[in-house]
Amino acid sequence: MLLASCASFGPYHGNTAEQPFNSVRGPKDRRYKLAFIEFGDQGSALDNSQIKAALEVIHQAERPVLFVYIHGWQNNANSGDVCHFEHFLDTVSSFPETPGRNVNVIGVYIAWRGRDLTFPGLNLLTFYSRKAVAATVASQVSCLATLNELALAAEDPSKKFHRCILIGHSFGGLLLGNTISHSILDASGAGTRNANPWDMAVTFNSADSSISTRQLLKQLDYLYRYDPARHAYVSRSPGEGEATAVPENRPFIVFLQSENDSATGKFFPIGTEFYNIMGLRFHWQKVPVPGHHGEKVSEREFYTHTPGNNPYLVNYRVVALGDASPPPGLKATQNRAIEANLLQNHPDYSFYTSEHNDGHEDRFCKNGNYNPDEARPPTGRELWRRWQFVYTGNARVPCWIVRVPKEIIWEHGGLWSDNSVAMLAALVRIEFPLTAGGNVAPPPLLRAPNVPDLQQ
């Protein structure tokens, strides 16, 4: 049986008072569950019972598909962003393939105090303080330990099927990226990569400087080179075998950046430049650009630009392939591109969208609340298009930094749009392709490559 209810677990602290709330939401015939885990400004989990409750629902699931989401600025555990995440979970759980495979859709909403002041206008002054808090939460032990614990619970050997996908948005992308970047290259003493129990990590419109991202790409470029014949990132150290090769379709983390995101594209550079002036920061070292054969530029370029808005780091783009017709045999009635993208492999990294990017999904969030009982008819105005992830330059490493057209992700908060979710479905299928029998084969465990000989 599928999980039968939509539920939230544990205290719901939100922005101020620590008050419990009704743990059950929606009707009992829903196929997803939602749990909350909250972190304080110093990076500590606020209530261990929340972690325990989330782990319990994962342990009870036979075939968990776990989405762990970290929100961004101006949000917390009781903001409207919860409604959008819940609508996403409901959408995934309602698709024909989900009941057919008997998977248990579970969401964990990682909350922190991204919204400090609520007075209009003054809340914009919290940019620096909330950015600093996101960085603090990422730098402490609790958040990474919690992500590991959730992922390990989902991927218990007793599970008949499992997936764990991490998602971060805005300052939540900062938090996610900084939390897991230090673990991506970690390995056990035997050389087996053991620090990434999750299957996939994606950030949307990360509101972080690209300092740490440049360092991550530089280290990956030091360890790996791209082999076009094998479509894989292989070790630069001679004599390494297949166990150290990373398939091209399995990047460690994907940064998705909307091309018309004014928050990170325009205001972030202005804000960081102002911070530099106020902090009397005028001296910058020159650092190597990953994949640019020794070229060095001022580190200021990385401090004042987010990863997806840094021309020195962007290595993929989503390009339009033109209008398309829907594939035959689709059973879904809304946002059918999700089903189209999940039912087939994408060896050329192309995918579908099927809707106008007009904020259709916002209609299901009224006053910040989500009603899973509400009828959600199709838009009646489908617009089928095909797109493709294309490598465009810079370091070709197992970390994708992707520019995405506004028709898919509109502005800074468009991560939950119909087309953005359809693209995420395509990324899931790209990273986890179907076998000839229609099943998803578990990816092999990777060994960390040896350090290349610096004299080579």
Side-chain angles (χ1 to χ4, degrees):
M1 290 290 293
L2 293 171
L3 293 176
S5 68
C6 161
S8 302
F9 302 88
Y12 197 43
H13 304 304
N15 192 44
T16 51
E18 298 187 3
Q19 299 176 349
F21 76 116
N22 188 351
S23 63
V24 179
R25 293 184 179 185
K28 294 184 178 180
D29 62 349
R30 285 291 141 183
R31 299 185 178 91
Y32 66 93
K33 287 196 174 183
L34 171 61
F36 294 81
I37 298 175
E38 298 172 89
F39 289 87
D41 284 7
Q42 302 306 314
S44 299
L46 294 183
D47 192 330
N48 286 336
S49 68
Q50 293 181 323
I51 301 175
K52 181 181 178 180
L55 291 172
E56 183 63 26
V57 74
I58 297 171
H59 287 314
Q60 291 174 358
E62 290 186 351
R63 302 169 66 87
V65 175
L66 173 64
F67 296 94
V68 182
Y69 171 63
I70 308 176
H71 66 74
W73 188 33
Q74 301 299 337
N75 287 295
N76 50 37
N78 57 8
S79 63
D81 204 38
V82 176
C83 173
H84 286 99
F85 182 50
E86 193 168 350
H87 173 52
F88 165 76
L89 296 174
D90 192 20
T91 300
V92 173
S93 66
S94 300
F95 265 84
E97 279 293 295
T98 304
R101 295 183 182 274
N102 290 326
V103 300
N104 312 119
V105 177
I106 302 169
V108 176
Y109 189 93
I110 301 291
W112 57 285
R113 200 154 56 98
R115 185 173 181 84
D116 195 5
L117 300 176
T118 58
F119 192 83
L122 290 180
N123 61 323
L124 299 178
L125 300 178
T126 65
F127 175 88
Y128 301 109
S129 66
R130 296 304 93 195
K131 181 175 182 288
V133 166
T136 298
V137 176
S139 67
Q140 301 303 320
V141 173
S142 292
C143 187
L144 178 58
T146 300
L147 294 179
N148 279 330
E149 217 173 344
L150 294 171
L152 288 170
E155 302 200 356
D156 187 280
S158 65
K159 304 298 184 185
K160 297 179 180 179
F161 178 86
H162 54 75
R163 283 288 174 266
C164 178
I165 299 171
L166 310 182
I167 302 173
H169 171 238
S170 186
F171 282 162
L174 177 161
L175 202 161
L176 176 61
N178 286 348
T179 297
I180 70 173
S181 287
H182 295 290
S183 71
I184 282 176
L185 296 172
D186 194 14
S188 69
T192 303
R193 194 171 297 284
N194 69 338
N196 302 326
W198 52 83
D199 295 302
M200 181 177 173
V202 183
T203 75
F204 290 82
N205 295 333
S206 173
D208 189 14
S209 79
S210 48
I211 294 286
S212 63
T213 310
R214 183 205 70 84
Q215 295 176 11
L216 174 62
L217 263 66
K218 187 71 178 68
Q219 186 65 17
L220 291 173
D221 192 43
Y222 170 64
L223 291 174
Y224 296 96
R225 62 178 177 82
Y226 178 70
D227 185 343
R230 297 161 65 182
H231 297 285
Y233 312 100
V234 300
S235 174
R236 291 187 181 275
S237 182
E240 294 278 6
E242 283 292 330
T244 62
V246 179
E248 183 180 19
N249 62 306
R250 294 295 314 277
F252 297 134
I253 184 171
V254 177
F255 294 85
L256 299 172
Q257 175 64 56
S258 172
E259 291 180 345
N260 74 332
D261 176 10
S262 57
T264 61
K266 295 179 180 179
F267 297 115
F268 186 93
I270 294 173
T272 50
E273 286 286 19
F274 176 77
Y275 188 80
N276 289 336
I277 293 173
M278 296 300 295
L280 301 178
R281 181 179 291 175
F282 301 110
H283 301 288
W284 299 90
Q285 287 77 35
K286 286 191 173 184
V287 292
V289 178
H292 281 241
H293 307 291
E295 178 185 359
K296 291 186 176 183
V297 299
S298 170
E299 203 161 20
R300 173 179 168 275
E301 294 292 328
F302 301 97
Y303 185 82
T304 56
H305 292 84
T306 65
N309 290 296
N310 193 315
Y312 293 103
L313 298 182
V314 172
N315 53 8
Y316 277 83
R317 288 185 181 274
V318 173
V319 300
L321 299 181
D323 294 343
S325 299
L330 299 180
K331 300 177 182 179
T333 59
Q334 54 178 311
N335 198 4
R336 296 194 296 159
I338 296 178
E339 184 182 9
N341 291 333
L342 288 175
L343 285 180
Q344 60 181 279
N345 290 331
H346 308 275
D348 61 349
Y349 300 161
S350 67
F351 64 95
Y352 292 101
T353 59
S354 60
E355 302 294 336
H356 292 269
N357 198 356
D358 58 2
H360 170 73
E361 67 284 346
D362 292 335
R363 303 171 195 173
F364 309 125
C365 291
K366 297 178 180 178
N367 300 319
N369 297 314
Y370 180 70
N371 180 8
D373 271 343
E374 182 180 355
R376 284 177 289 280
T379 60
R381 49 194 300 266
E382 286 186 337
L383 178 63
W384 282 84
R385 293 177 176 175
R386 285 183 68 239
W387 310 83
Q388 188 175 34
F389 292 97
V390 176
Y391 171 72
T392 57
N394 293 333
R396 197 161 192 177
V397 295
C399 173
W400 292 9
I401 303 179
V402 189
R403 298 279 290 179
V404 181
K406 61 184 180 181
E407 291 84 0
I408 299 178
I409 304 178
W410 177 265
E411 264 286 356
H412 187 63
L415 75 156
W416 300 124
S417 71
D418 289 340
N419 291 341
S420 178
V421 173
M423 178 182 62
L424 179 60
L427 273 173
V428 170
R429 184 54 67 234
I430 287 171
E431 293 216 15
F432 311 108
L434 299 170
T435 64
N439 298 315
V440 182
L445 190 66
L446 299 177
R447 272 201 312 109
N450 292 324
V451 175
D453 187 346
L454 294 177
Q455 296 180 352
Q456 295 262 338

XYZ file of all heavy atoms in Angstrom, residues 318-325 344 348-353 383-388:
182
model
N 20.600 25.565 -21.238
C 19.422 24.913 -21.814
C 19.058 25.698 -23.069
O 18.766 26.897 -23.001
C 18.243 24.898 -20.829
C 16.977 24.382 -21.510
C 18.573 24.025 -19.623
N 19.113 25.040 -24.222
C 18.837 25.703 -25.501
C 17.532 25.162 -26.070
O 17.162 23.999 -25.865
C 19.985 25.492 -26.507
C 21.285 26.068 -25.967
C 20.168 24.018 -26.837
N 16.815 26.012 -26.782
C 15.530 25.638 -27.366
C 15.748 24.844 -28.649
O 16.559 25.216 -29.498
C 14.703 26.882 -27.650
N 15.006 23.750 -28.795
C 15.030 22.937 -30.022
C 13.780 23.144 -30.858
O 13.667 22.562 -31.943
C 15.171 21.452 -29.669
C 16.429 21.037 -28.907
C 16.424 19.528 -28.664
C 17.690 21.448 -29.658
N 12.828 23.932 -30.368
C 11.640 24.237 -31.145
C 10.384 23.589 -30.606
O 10.396 22.857 -29.609
N 9.274 23.872 -31.293
C 7.990 23.304 -30.902
C 7.992 21.797 -31.108
O 8.741 21.260 -31.925
C 6.855 23.938 -31.709
C 6.680 25.418 -31.396
O 7.190 25.864 -30.359
O 6.042 26.122 -32.204
N 7.133 21.112 -30.360
C 7.091 19.648 -30.420
C 5.659 19.166 -30.247
O 4.756 19.934 -29.896
C 7.986 19.047 -29.340
N 5.455 17.899 -30.517
C 4.173 17.245 -30.275
C 4.316 16.328 -29.069
O 5.396 15.771 -28.832
C 3.747 16.422 -31.496
O 3.587 17.251 -32.633
N 10.836 8.098 -20.587
C 11.849 7.783 -21.586
C 13.208 8.299 -21.160
O 13.315 9.230 -20.362
C 11.465 8.391 -22.940
C 11.322 9.900 -22.928
C 10.908 10.456 -24.270
O 11.728 10.644 -25.162
N 9.607 10.713 -24.438
N 20.518 12.250 -25.412
C 21.049 13.505 -25.958
C 20.770 14.682 -25.036
O 20.984 15.833 -25.406
C 20.460 13.773 -27.340
C 18.940 13.927 -27.311
O 18.324 13.622 -26.258
O 18.356 14.339 -28.335
N 20.260 14.409 -23.815
C 19.953 15.419 -22.804
C 18.854 16.388 -23.240
O 18.782 17.514 -22.751
C 21.204 16.202 -22.401
C 22.308 15.350 -21.829
C 23.624 15.795 -21.775
C 22.057 14.070 -21.346
C 24.643 15.008 -21.262
C 23.065 13.283 -20.830
C 24.346 13.749 -20.789
O 25.349 12.960 -20.271
N 17.985 15.960 -24.145
C 16.833 16.776 -24.528
C 15.643 16.418 -23.642
O 15.586 15.329 -23.059
C 16.483 16.566 -25.997
O 16.015 15.254 -26.228
N 14.682 17.332 -23.543
C 13.505 17.096 -22.706
C 12.361 17.974 -23.181
O 12.524 18.849 -24.042
C 13.827 17.368 -21.229
C 14.190 18.804 -20.914
C 13.233 19.706 -20.466
C 15.498 19.250 -21.053
C 13.561 21.023 -20.177
C 15.847 20.565 -20.763
C 14.866 21.452 -20.321
N 11.185 17.745 -22.599
C 9.964 18.460 -22.976
C 9.524 19.438 -21.893
O 9.736 19.210 -20.703
C 8.805 17.473 -23.183
C 8.909 16.548 -24.362
C 9.308 15.230 -24.190
C 8.576 16.973 -25.655
C 9.376 14.348 -25.266
C 8.642 16.108 -26.735
C 9.046 14.795 -26.532
O 9.122 13.934 -27.599
N 8.839 20.502 -22.319
C 7.925 21.261 -21.462
C 6.594 21.317 -22.198
O 6.544 21.181 -23.422
C 8.428 22.688 -21.181
O 8.590 23.397 -22.426
C 9.751 22.667 -20.433
N 1.492 24.070 -24.537
C 2.495 24.551 -25.488
C 3.701 23.621 -25.384
O 4.565 23.796 -24.536
C 2.903 25.995 -25.167
C 3.993 26.615 -26.048
C 3.521 26.706 -27.495
C 4.393 27.985 -25.516
N 3.753 22.616 -26.241
C 4.805 21.620 -26.186
C 6.063 22.131 -26.878
O 6.016 22.585 -28.023
C 4.352 20.311 -26.834
C 3.451 19.514 -25.939
C 2.106 19.666 -25.791
C 3.844 18.468 -25.049
N 1.631 18.781 -24.856
C 2.669 18.028 -24.391
C 5.064 17.867 -24.743
C 2.689 17.002 -23.455
C 5.076 16.842 -23.803
C 3.906 16.421 -23.163
N 7.187 22.029 -26.152
C 8.494 22.425 -26.690
C 9.542 21.411 -26.261
O 9.383 20.735 -25.246
C 8.905 23.812 -26.191
C 8.047 24.961 -26.695
C 8.510 26.276 -26.074
N 7.782 27.423 -26.582
C 7.917 28.660 -26.137
N 8.776 28.907 -25.137
N 7.227 29.651 -26.647
N 10.606 21.351 -27.051
C 11.747 20.528 -26.674
C 12.939 21.431 -26.405
O 13.143 22.462 -27.063
C 12.104 19.515 -27.774
C 11.142 18.339 -27.848
C 11.563 17.317 -28.882
N 12.793 16.611 -28.506
C 13.901 16.598 -29.228
N 13.960 17.257 -30.369
N 14.952 15.915 -28.814
N 13.746 21.012 -25.420
C 14.920 21.752 -24.992
C 16.070 20.774 -24.838
O 15.880 19.551 -24.870
C 14.660 22.457 -23.662
C 13.410 23.264 -23.624
C 12.143 22.806 -23.372
C 13.280 24.668 -23.841
N 11.238 23.839 -23.417
C 11.910 24.991 -23.701
C 14.200 25.688 -24.137
C 11.433 26.299 -23.840
C 13.717 26.984 -24.268
C 12.361 27.280 -24.136
N 17.254 21.300 -24.638
C 18.414 20.415 -24.501
C 19.459 21.051 -23.590
O 19.750 22.254 -23.694
C 19.027 20.143 -25.877
C 20.119 19.083 -25.888
C 20.592 18.783 -27.303
O 20.636 19.665 -28.163
N 20.921 17.523 -27.552
